[in-house]
Amino acid sequence: MSACEYPTTHEKIAEVIDIHNFIDNVFIPSKASTWIDLHDPATNNLVTRVPQSTDAELKAAVDSASKAYPKWKATSIIRKQQIMFKLAALIRENTEKLAASITLEQGKTCADARGDVLRGLQVCETACGITTQLTGEVVEVAKDMETRSYREPLGVVAAICPFNFPAMIPLWSIPLATITGNTLILKPSERVPGCAMIIADLCRQAGYPEGVINIIHGGAKTVDFIIDEPAIRAISFVGSNRAGEYIFTRGSANGKRVQANLGAKNHAAVLRSAQAGQRCMALSTLVLIGQTKEWMPELADRAKKLTLNGGFEEGADLGPLISPQSKRRVEDLIQSAQNEGATILLDGRSQKPAKYPNGNWVGPTIITNVKPHMKCYTEEIFGPVLVCLNVESSNEAINLINANEYGNGAAIFTRSGATATLFQKELEAGQLGINVPIPVPLPMFSFTGNKKSVAGGGVANFYGKDGLRFYTQWKTVTSLWRAEDAISKQSDVAMPTHS
Ligand code: NAD
């Protein structure tokens, strides 16, 4: 098996291959003395080992990106676009391989893993339109005098990724960071590095020159290197508040541009006028308005029917959690809810599929009668747990949701346009779904979380127009070319070509 091959079963891997760094378009075995064991969350069998890349390796990646930058910046936009077309096609062709690596390392079902790839692919596909997206501005400010503003890349930029979307989140950065002319150093989550390695291989096949994309590995030590390395001009971070607020503060203090998407507590408000079967399990907090609380037994019946199984198994609805520690944390939060007086309407704590007794399983869990002060409400659970609160009116629901410190997303389920409009105007969450459970915008828009779900007030959102803005800086030139000073009336009329 090569560095980029992945099995499509949960069977024990006979020959475990270590994860390499990707520098100068070459997969290079690490000389690390510290390695992180990575296990299949469905079995806890060893899958691979991830290096804590050495200082020399981290520096080599930065040197490679710095060396590649001038030539890449000067590469024509048409050439960059051609590479992006090729990359998008290769990602589509390799969806199954990418999804298999996700299922094996992250645990999500194959269907979910394909969705993870698709949402990243869409960012690549949208970036293919760069030739019309990167236009600047020009005004003739006086006779023969023009002021023009155009966008230039920043230089070497970095991305630091979380574990929960191993394809989508690296692909929030790779296409836009590079098509705008920057060179990139990407650090995948040390818990799911495989998908980024396959993407690196696809980038190489698509025609990215050496050094434009480098991948390095490790945990907090690698992050500290990125934050403190003077050659790195900007950092894109997605992950927890704990890491993100630290990276934002220290990165900004070091003079870098930092965009940081953080934790969430997404609410779904359900009105009596809602349609049945709202797929609310995709949202972690349900706000039941008025008598809708009577629907809970039916919802619990449906949740009970979800199949918990290894992600490669046919018919699996729900995979395992990423690690035994995450499982323990989620179970502790369920227990805290019980201790604080909430009702555990559906308890997934003892569930496990017969075929995979050693995985990090927690089945669908529904907690009702939750109050805003309870730990299960104030903390992001990050497991298959639905926390339900009861309110009497739409206004009470709006006040409750707005009082929550996170502001990533919210959804409302109703048949009333007037009520939908009230929520649309009054809710402070940055992304709102109206009869849509997961309001993640397509990449012609940006991902626009707010409040504590972004660092620094969300100065620059990921992908979309804001993403392009993040990876570029304006240059504004005022020029005076007097027509009467023209040396020759003869112009060069040869058509420029770009390969
Ligand atoms: P995490 O913060 O633990 O890890 C993210 C990255 O930060 C990893 O690459 C990790 O190596 C690094 N890191 C972790 N701890 C660090 C530390 N102390 N110092 C320096 N670097 C550190 O996040 P995670 O558990 O991988 O991901 C889950 C979190 O990400 C959840 O909170 C989830 O809500 C959030 N998330 C947010 C969005 C969004 O767009 N808002 C999207 C996906 C995930």
Side-chain angles (χ1 to χ4, degrees):
M1 218 167 39
S2 84
C4 287
E5 292 289 311
Y6 272 86
T8 52
T9 74
H10 294 291
E11 277 165 30
K12 203 168 177 151
I13 299 169
E15 187 203 351
V16 168
I17 294 179
D18 293 341
I19 291 285
H20 296 354
N21 290 306
F22 182 75
I23 300 171
D24 273 339
N25 272 0
V26 180
F27 289 99
I28 305 175
S30 174
K31 296 195 166 64
S33 53
T34 307
W35 292 82
I36 303 153
D37 285 350
L38 201 148
H39 300 97
D40 175 351
T43 59
N44 276 307
N45 292 334
L46 186 69
V47 168
T48 184
R49 295 190 319 152
V50 186
Q52 172 50 64
S53 300
T54 65
D55 291 349
E57 288 160 357
L58 300 176
K59 190 78 180 82
V62 171
D63 289 347
S64 161
S66 300
K67 190 161 154 248
Y69 174 63
K71 197 160 169 212
W72 180 242
K73 180 188 176 195
T75 299
S76 77
I77 196 165
I78 293 287
R79 175 69 193 131
K80 290 182 187 126
Q81 186 191 39
Q82 286 165 348
I83 292 173
M84 195 56 62
F85 274 125
K86 189 86 196 288
L87 178 62
L90 283 166
I91 290 174
R92 193 174 280 284
E93 272 168 35
N94 286 277
T95 296
E96 289 305 310
K97 184 173 171 181
L98 289 158
S101 84
I102 296 173
T103 298
L104 187 68
E105 291 183 353
Q106 202 273 354
K108 64 177 77 171
T109 64
C110 285
D112 263 1
R114 285 184 203 113
D116 190 333
V117 177
L118 177 69
R119 293 312 300 261
L121 170 61
Q122 288 166 344
V123 182
C124 285
E125 289 174 335
T126 306
C128 290
I130 192 67
T131 46
T132 53
Q133 292 165 355
L134 212 60
T135 47
E137 296 164 0
V138 58
V139 173
E140 191 171 47
V141 291
K143 183 172 181 308
D144 295 333
M145 183 181 276
E146 277 181 1
T147 298
R148 64 182 61 230
S149 273
Y150 55 94
R151 295 159 191 248
E152 293 206 316
L154 305 173
V156 180
V157 299
I160 301 167
C161 305
F163 81 84
N164 63 331
F165 280 96
M168 180 182 82
I169 290 177
L171 289 170
W172 279 5
S173 287
I174 291 171
L176 291 189
T178 58
I179 205 158
T180 48
N182 303 285
T183 54
L184 175 70
I185 293 177
L186 185 128
K187 190 199 91 63
S189 165
E190 62 275 33
R191 298 193 268 179
V192 291
C195 194
M197 301 317 286
I198 300 171
I199 293 171
D201 191 33
L202 300 180
C203 288
R204 180 169 67 171
Q205 290 178 42
Y208 274 101
E210 287 172 15
V212 175
I213 294 167
N214 293 291
I215 310 225
I216 53 175
H217 298 287
K221 183 171 179 279
T222 306
V223 170
D224 281 347
F225 170 83
I226 290 171
I227 306 174
D228 292 337
E229 167 56 51
I232 295 175
R233 301 285 307 277
I235 301 173
S236 300
F237 171 84
V238 181
S240 65
N241 281 67
R242 187 166 157 264
E245 283 161 13
Y246 163 71
I247 290 166
F248 181 85
T249 307
R250 188 158 147 187
S252 303
N254 283 339
K256 299 183 199 307
R257 242 180 224 195
V258 186
Q259 58 178 175
N261 270 10
L262 312 177
K265 197 80 183 170
N266 298 335
H267 291 68
V270 182
L271 283 107
R272 189 148 184 81
S273 61
Q275 301 172 5
Q278 308 85 342
R279 296 162 66 203
C280 289
M281 290 303 284
L283 291 146
S284 63
T285 309
L286 194 57
V287 182
L288 297 154
I289 302 173
Q291 291 171 342
T292 58
K293 55 179 173 281
E294 291 164 10
W295 298 353
M296 287 316 298
E298 191 190 329
L299 188 66
D301 277 346
R302 288 183 185 211
K304 237 183 258 173
K305 292 188 185 122
L306 294 173
T307 306
L308 194 64
N309 212 343
F312 290 121
E313 298 293 339
E314 194 84 18
D317 293 309
L318 214 62
L321 297 182
I322 185 80
S323 64
Q325 293 84 337
S326 297
K327 171 179 156 71
R328 245 189 329 273
R329 187 179 163 274
V330 169
E331 287 174 343
D332 286 351
L333 280 164
I334 299 169
Q335 187 58 45
S336 78
Q338 203 166 4
N339 297 348
E340 287 186 284
T343 309
I344 314 296
L345 184 64
L346 181 64
D347 192 342
R349 281 176 289 185
S350 56
Q351 267 195 49
K352 61 171 82 158
K355 192 169 168 190
Y356 302 108
N358 299 327
N360 314 316
W361 305 104
V362 176
T365 299
I366 299 179
I367 310 177
T368 56
N369 298 317
V370 171
K371 302 282 181 280
H373 68 270
M374 293 179 182
K375 202 170 163 194
C376 67
Y377 179 72
T378 55
E379 282 197 24
E380 184 181 26
I381 300 180
F382 231 55
V385 181
L386 185 66
V387 164
C388 306
L389 295 91
N390 305 323
V391 296
E392 287 312 316
S393 68
S394 295
N395 281 331
E396 210 185 318
I398 290 167
N399 291 338
L400 174 83
I401 297 170
N402 286 349
N404 193 280
E405 54 187 359
Y406 290 105
N408 224 22
I412 158 130
F413 295 89
T414 178
R415 279 186 183 150
S416 157
T419 309
T421 306
L422 176 74
F423 276 78
Q424 182 174 328
K425 295 225 161 106
E426 298 299 327
L427 277 189
E428 285 169 14
Q431 302 170 105
L432 185 59
I434 298 176
N435 296 322
V436 175
I438 312 174
V440 177
L442 284 166
M444 61 293 274
F445 294 93
S446 296
F447 191 99
T448 56
N450 66 20
K451 296 202 280 185
K452 205 180 149 183
S453 295
V454 286
V459 281
N461 295 304
F462 281 78
Y463 63 83
K465 287 184 184 148
D466 267 11
L468 287 175
R469 203 160 53 75
F470 180 76
Y471 287 122
T472 54
Q473 55 194 342
W474 287 104
K475 181 173 274 180
T476 305
V477 178
T478 299
S479 58
L480 177 64
W481 292 109
R482 291 186 198 286
E484 60 265 34
D485 292 344
I487 297 166
S488 160
K489 294 254 153 46
Q490 232 175 8
S491 312
D492 180 359
V493 291
M495 176 71 86
T497 57
H498 299 282
S499 58

